[in-house]
Amino acid sequence: MLVTRRDLHALQNLWSELSAFPASKPDDAMTWLLAGITRITGCTNITWIEASRESGERTDDPLGGWRPYSQRSLQQPDEDRKRRAAVMYYMNKGVFDPLTVGVTAGAGVTRAYLRKELVDDRTWLQSWLYNEVLRPSHVSEMLVGAQAVTPSRESYICMDRGATDMPFRARERNLLQLILSGCPALRREVLHAGGRGGKSATLSARERQVLRLLLTDLSEKEIAGKLGIGWRTTHEYTVSILRKFGVRGRIGLMALWLRHSPPGE
C-alpha cells in the first residue's frame, strides 16, 4: 500500500511541531518525535537505538562491528530495561538475532524493512529474540529501519505490534523510510544525542545539560550558576563538547546546529 496524502500531511505536521522545540529541550523533542511516529504508523511501541561501528572490522562478526550504545523507548522503563538486558546478555555471549544481523548487513544507507523481508516466519518463530524477549512482552511483529549518520554511526528505529494487531504492511515501511530519509529535524535530534564520532564521542548527562545552555545566549559563567557547578568545570565541559562535535567555538556549534535544523527554525 502506498503512502497517502493524509500520511504526508501528518508527517509535515510532525516536522513542523518538532521544529518549534527550542534547542535547549532535546529530550522533550525526542519524546514528541517518538510519540508522533507511533501515532502516524500505528505501532504499539517504538524504540530509538544509537549504534557505532567498532574500529578494526572483524570478518567473523555477524554484525560487522556494529554495537548499540544508547537506547530510548516509549514503553515503561522497567519493561525497557528488561528487554535491553536480555538483548545485551546474548550479544555479550556472541549470539546475535537474525533480525539485527539483517538490518546491519545494509549499513551505510538509510533503509526500512518489514520483519518478513529480513527473516522468514520459521526462523523468526524459533529465534531467541522472539521467544525470550518479545513474546513475554506480547510482541509478535516488528518493523525496523536505520539511518546512516556517519560511516561509523547509525540510528535505528524499531517498532512493535502485538499478536492481536494487524501486521505491518508496505505502507508503514514506506512511512518509516520517509521518516528516516534525510529529514533535517530527525538529523537534529541525532546530533543532539551526542557527538559525531560514535561511541567514543557520546555526550555524558552533564555535557548534554551544558550543551543545551551553550545553544542559548548564556555566558559560561551564567551556565555554571544555573547548573550549580564551578566556572572552570563548565569551561572544561564546553571544551570537551566542542571537541566531540569537531568545532572551534560556540559560533561553530550553533552553525552546526542550524545546518541540521529545519528551515525557519
Side-chain angles (χ1 to χ4, degrees), residues 74-92:
L74 282 185
Q75 67 184 1
Q76 294 297 322
D78 288 344
E79 188 66 29
D80 186 35
R81 280 192 290 270
K82 288 179 184 178
R83 285 180 59 168
R84 190 185 316 179
V87 170
M88 293 311 300
Y89 169 78
Y90 280 100
M91 279 194 170
N92 290 335

Side-chain angles (χ1 to χ4, degrees), residues 95-133:
V95 180
F96 306 103
D97 69 273
L99 189 63
T100 302
V101 172
V103 174
T104 56
V109 297
T110 297
R111 56 210 185 272
Y113 305 102
L114 298 169
R115 186 276 306 166
K116 64 183 180 182
E117 292 175 327
L118 293 176
V119 183
D120 64 77
D121 290 342
R122 182 176 180 181
T123 302
W124 176 247
L125 294 175
Q126 293 176 346
S127 69
W128 61 262
L129 177 64
Y130 174 76
N131 286 290
E132 299 186 33
V133 179

Side-chain angles (χ1 to χ4, degrees), residues 2-253:
L2 297 177
V3 174
T4 66
R5 286 189 178 183
R6 183 176 180 179
D7 292 329
L8 294 176
H9 182 66
L11 284 178
Q12 289 172 342
N13 286 339
L14 177 61
W15 302 138
S16 177
E17 293 163 356
L18 189 63
S19 68
F21 281 87
S24 57
K25 294 186 176 181
D27 289 334
D28 291 344
M30 176 61 80
T31 299
W32 186 270
L33 172 66
L34 295 181
I37 295 174
T38 298
R39 183 177 64 252
I40 293 170
T41 60
C43 61
T44 56
N45 184 54
I46 184 170
T47 302
W48 175 290
I49 300 171
E50 291 288 329
S52 62
R53 194 171 199 172
E54 299 174 347
S55 58
E57 189 175 340
R58 291 168 43 192
T59 56
D60 62 339
D61 184 356
L63 301 187
W66 290 98
R67 293 294 185 274
Y69 64 84
S70 177
Q71 180 172 316
R72 177 84 171 267
S73 176
L74 282 185
Q75 67 184 1
Q76 294 297 322
D78 288 344
E79 188 66 29
D80 186 35
R81 280 192 290 270
K82 288 179 184 178
R83 285 180 59 168
R84 190 185 316 179
V87 170
M88 293 311 300
Y89 169 78
Y90 280 100
M91 279 194 170
N92 290 335
K93 291 179 63 175
V95 180
F96 306 103
D97 69 273
L99 189 63
T100 302
V101 172
V103 174
T104 56
V109 297
T110 297
R111 56 210 185 272
Y113 305 102
L114 298 169
R115 186 276 306 166
K116 64 183 180 182
E117 292 175 327
L118 293 176
V119 183
D120 64 77
D121 290 342
R122 182 176 180 181
T123 302
W124 176 247
L125 294 175
Q126 293 176 346
S127 69
W128 61 262
L129 177 64
Y130 174 76
N131 286 290
E132 299 186 33
V133 179
L134 300 178
R135 192 165 68 171
S137 301
H138 308 289
V139 175
S140 63
E141 274 297 347
M142 294 189 71
L143 173 65
V144 294
Q147 182 188 50
V149 181
T150 72
S152 61
R153 182 174 178 183
E154 292 199 332
S155 300
Y156 300 92
I157 289 181
C158 305
M159 300 180 184
D160 302 341
R161 277 188 178 172
T164 59
D165 299 319
M166 182 179 296
F168 288 110
R169 300 166 298 172
R171 168 188 170 268
E172 288 83 24
R173 181 202 58 207
N174 295 341
L175 271 172
L176 181 56
Q177 182 74 35
L178 281 176
I179 290 167
L180 289 165
S181 294
C183 175
L186 185 58
R187 290 186 180 276
R188 183 191 68 173
E189 302 314 317
V190 174
L191 175 68
H192 226 321
R196 295 182 295 170
K199 185 176 181 179
S200 63
T202 305
L203 300 184
S204 68
R206 178 65 83 180
E207 285 174 333
R208 292 187 67 185
Q209 290 177 332
V210 174
L211 173 60
R212 295 168 198 168
L213 297 175
L214 285 174
L215 294 170
T216 68
D217 60 356
L218 294 178
S219 67
E220 287 187 15
K221 185 176 181 180
E222 290 170 325
I223 292 173
K226 196 170 184 66
L227 295 178
I229 58 179
W231 172 81
R232 290 189 181 277
T233 302
T234 301
H235 182 68
E236 290 174 359
Y237 281 127
T238 300
V239 171
S240 176
I241 290 166
L242 297 178
R243 175 179 56 80
K244 289 180 178 181
F245 280 109
V247 295
R248 296 183 179 181
R250 292 179 70 171
I251 293 177
L253 186 65

